[in-house]
Amino acid sequence: YEDWFEGGEHGGYGSYDAQTDSAPFWLAALIEQIDSERPSPSILEIGCAYGTHLELAQARGWQCFGVEPSKHARDVAIER
C-alpha cells in the first residue's frame, strides 16, 4: 500500500498529499455548519487515507475517528 500512496505502483498517487485538497470548499462549509449546531461534534471517516480531511475537523476541536485498510496510510493518519 505504501507504493500506491507514494507513486511506486501503476495507478497510484504521485504524492497523495500533493494530490488531495486538504480543505475542499464543500467539506469546510459542512464542518463549519455542523460545528455551529452541535456542542461537541465527532466524525468517522471510512477510508481516511492519510487523515487529511480529519485533520481539518480536528483543528476545530472535533473528536475524530478514521478507518483505513492501508497500514502505511493509517500510520501517517495516526501520526497526524
Side-chain angles (χ1 to χ4, degrees), residues 4-7 11-22 50 52-53:
W4 179 265
F5 283 97
E6 294 304 326
Y13 298 96
S15 168
Y16 185 78
D17 276 333
Q19 292 176 253
T20 304
D21 184 355
S22 62
Y50 283 180
T52 306
H53 298 139

Side-chain angles (χ1 to χ4, degrees), residues 2-66:
E2 182 173 357
D3 285 346
W4 179 265
F5 283 97
E6 294 304 326
E9 183 174 313
H10 178 69
Y13 298 96
S15 168
Y16 185 78
D17 276 333
Q19 292 176 253
T20 304
D21 184 355
S22 62
F25 173 76
W26 64 268
L27 180 61
L30 180 61
I31 287 174
E32 187 173 325
Q33 178 185 351
I34 293 170
D35 201 30
S36 67
E37 296 172 357
R38 300 186 188 265
S40 60
S42 62
I43 186 171
L44 169 62
E45 183 176 8
I46 307 297
C48 68
Y50 283 180
T52 306
H53 298 139
L54 291 175
E55 190 174 34
L56 182 64
Q58 184 182 36
R60 295 188 68 110
W62 288 37
Q63 189 173 16
C64 297
F65 304 92

